[in-house]
Amino acid sequence: MSTAWMQPLPLVAILRGLTPQEAPAVGAALADAGFHILEVPLNSPQPLESIELLARQLGDRCLVGAGTVLTTAQVDDVANAGGRIIVMPHADVEVIAAAHAKGMRCTPGVATPTEAFAALRAGADALKLFPAEQLPPPVLKAWSSVLPAGTALLPVGGITPERMAAYRQGGAAGFGIGSALYAPKTPPAEVARRARAFIDAWSSTNTDPHA
């Protein structure tokens, strides 16, 4: 499994609650700070409009797409809005296939080894360990010992800069970061400050010389 698409910074900004009015400024703040994977969950206000705005503004700098994608029809909607990555809370193989049919990256959510192996067989580009609160670093380390070498595991849920080091030691290849990075109506300057804190934490825990 190649993780080149996640580099140089394999941190996914989860922008739940983002509005189209906020999207340009928040997206620019994140991109300027160094984030290049931006996810707008589909249970946000007018998410497809936000995705379209972000893709138009930052498509040459960032991989923009959607989270909380549940159906193949939603994959089509995201693709039509210019999205290029599908993030899911579950591991529906039909949604994974639909994303790949559109030439999109797909990161399904998994919470058991059975789900993880099934998602990999379906062609998952990375695995979202969700919710991370119920999958602590020792679990991640155990999974890493049995999953195919190179499998990219991204804990999502409750991730803060302080929690990253333990997950990195367990084998995390990156993270999905939500409310600790962005919450509705957070000023862009504050989003940028938080983004830099996460980047600093990643850099200080990064043990991969190729990342």
Side-chain angles (χ1 to χ4, degrees):
M1 175 187 294
S2 172
T3 59
W5 62 276
M6 296 194 300
Q7 303 308 328
L9 183 72
L11 304 181
V12 181
I14 303 171
L15 304 176
R16 190 177 308 280
L18 185 74
T19 65
Q21 292 73 27
E22 294 176 282
V26 170
L30 287 165
D32 290 345
F35 274 68
H36 74 101
I37 307 175
L38 309 180
E39 167 198 333
V40 180
L42 291 185
N43 54 2
S44 302
Q46 300 172 275
L48 296 174
E49 185 175 340
S50 292
I51 291 168
E52 185 173 1
L53 288 168
L54 290 170
R56 188 184 310 146
Q57 174 189 5
L58 300 168
D60 59 339
R61 301 169 59 191
C62 297
L63 187 67
V64 176
T68 319
V69 179
L70 305 179
T71 69
T72 57
Q74 289 176 333
V75 172
D76 292 339
D77 292 339
V78 174
N80 291 335
R84 295 187 292 138
I85 182 170
I86 294 294
V87 183
M88 307 154 58
H90 63 332
D92 186 327
V93 297
E94 292 184 359
V95 175
I96 298 172
H100 286 162
K102 293 288 185 178
M104 305 166 81
R105 298 289 183 181
C106 188
T107 302
V110 299
T112 69
T114 298
E115 292 175 339
F117 278 104
L120 291 173
R121 282 197 300 272
D125 294 290
L127 298 179
K128 168 184 171 179
L129 273 64
F130 178 78
E133 292 93 337
Q134 75 175 31
L135 299 166
V139 172
L140 182 65
K141 185 175 181 179
W143 283 29
S144 297
S145 69
V146 296
L147 291 171
T151 298
L153 302 175
L154 281 64
V156 178
I159 299 302
T160 63
E162 296 75 21
R163 296 189 68 197
M164 293 171 72
Y167 277 106
R168 281 293 288 154
Q169 292 169 5
F175 295 91
I177 305 167
S179 59
L181 174 65
Y182 168 83
K185 299 183 180 179
T186 305
E190 175 62 15
V191 174
R193 185 194 69 77
R194 296 177 185 181
R196 288 190 292 270
F198 275 104
I199 292 169
D200 288 346
W202 172 261
S203 297
S204 68
T205 62
N206 186 17
T207 58
D208 182 353
H210 302 294

